[in-house]
Amino acid sequence: MSRADALSPARLKDAAPLFAALGDATRLGLLVSLCAGGPLTVTRLSGQFAVSRQAITKHLDVLAEAGLVTSSRQGRERIWTFEPKRLEDAHHYLERLSREWDVALGRLKAFVET
Amino acid sequence: MSRADALSPARLKDAAPLFAALGDATRLGLLVSLCAGGPLTVTRLSGQFAVSRQAITKHLDVLAEAGLVTSSRQGRERIWTFEPKRLEDAHHYLERLSREWDVALGRLKAFVET
DNA sequence: AAGAAATGCAACAAAATGGTTGCATCAATC
DNA sequence: GATTGATGCAACCATTTTGTTGCATTTCTT
């Protein structure tokens, strides 16, 4: 991957669903719970929120789709685990945007001084 | 602000709309354009996307609501400008989540070694 | 003053989102 | 084997989001 295509349309379509998954207070709360409290079941997680277990399941599905959590079946329960890799992706994307901005400011400065 | 409440419910409700605004490919594209190409008008911006000018206006309104862009009227046109500050907020939030995760891993390691 | 360019505003439609309830299924325990 | 606990699945509903079109308004230009 070159620096040049770091903000290409293709990458936008990759980053957008990731940010969209982060764009909900309940889902952020789920991530915090899974971060701090380790892997948990849906039933356990839904006890911490004001919505039904089924609603939490849907949120977890969204997070899983975005790659922010994974799950595995253990007996009669399903364990959900935080996945830090994709958080890095979001992090990097924001950094690239910031850098692009700085570069643009640099160009502007150079132009003004000419 | 203490480290302890860095991921409090109050902060979730602040961070969620910010990520939600970033969670759309068209809006990310708009930010990239405003980053790289400097302040632009709606008409100019909408030339780069496959949707109508009015749709772009709505996207810009969403970005403005999240504090990611600002606008000012100049004669008959309105100029939209990228606002890097809120990007920092998103950046910091992701960092706090990562740190929380690292702390949890540390606790786990200490527990296993006991 | 007239026309063109840029934006603003409103009504509308389609699709996605976030939530519910009810019931079925699967696994553990007594 | 009957019961309980955890999950899965489906239908349904309300709201929000994302887009459209049409028209009005404002401002520049000739």
Side-chain angles (χ1 to χ4, degrees), chain B residues 64-91:
Chain B
E65 189 76 19
L68 287 163
V69 301
T70 55
S71 73
S72 67
R73 200 65 189 269
Q74 277 188 26
R76 72 177 153 182
E77 33 185 45
R78 174 172 297 277
I79 310 294
W80 295 85
T81 308
F82 176 64
E83 200 63 50
K85 277 177 198 156
R86 289 288 285 168
L87 218 59
E88 293 286 311
D89 293 344
H91 184 83

Side-chain angles (χ1 to χ4, degrees), chain A residues 11-75:
Chain A
R11 291 199 173 270
L12 296 192
K13 284 184 187 157
D14 185 51
L18 180 52
F19 286 123
L22 294 170
D24 180 280
T26 302
R27 284 197 290 269
L28 284 180
L30 287 169
L31 289 182
V32 171
S33 292
L34 291 177
C35 260
L40 288 170
T41 67
V42 192
T43 311
R44 214 99 153 78
L45 281 167
S46 60
Q48 309 177 17
F49 298 89
V51 294
S52 69
R53 168 184 59 87
Q54 287 88 336
I56 298 295
T57 296
K58 288 189 183 179
H59 281 303
L60 288 169
D61 287 342
V62 173
L63 290 172
E65 190 74 21
L68 288 163
V69 301
T70 55
S71 73
S72 67
R73 199 66 188 268
Q74 277 188 27

Side-chain angles (χ1 to χ4, degrees), chain B residues 6-107:
Chain B
L7 297 170
S8 68
R11 290 197 174 272
L12 296 191
K13 284 184 187 157
D14 185 52
L18 180 53
F19 287 121
L22 294 169
D24 180 279
T26 303
R27 285 197 289 270
L28 284 180
L30 287 170
L31 289 183
V32 171
S33 291
L34 291 178
C35 261
L40 288 169
T41 67
V42 192
T43 310
R44 214 100 153 78
L45 282 166
S46 61
Q48 309 177 16
F49 299 89
V51 294
S52 69
R53 168 184 59 84
Q54 288 89 335
I56 298 295
T57 297
K58 290 188 183 180
H59 280 303
L60 288 170
D61 287 341
V62 172
L63 290 173
E65 189 76 19
L68 287 163
V69 301
T70 55
S71 73
S72 67
R73 200 65 189 269
Q74 277 188 26
R76 72 177 153 182
E77 33 185 45
R78 174 172 297 277
I79 310 294
W80 295 85
T81 308
F82 176 64
E83 200 63 50
K85 277 177 198 156
R86 289 288 285 168
L87 218 59
E88 293 286 311
D89 293 344
H91 184 83
H92 288 149
Y93 194 87
L94 291 182
E95 262 186 356
R96 288 188 196 113
L97 251 189
S98 291
R99 190 170 309 166
E100 187 72 19
W101 176 248
D102 290 340
V103 169
L105 280 190
R107 274 198 296 266

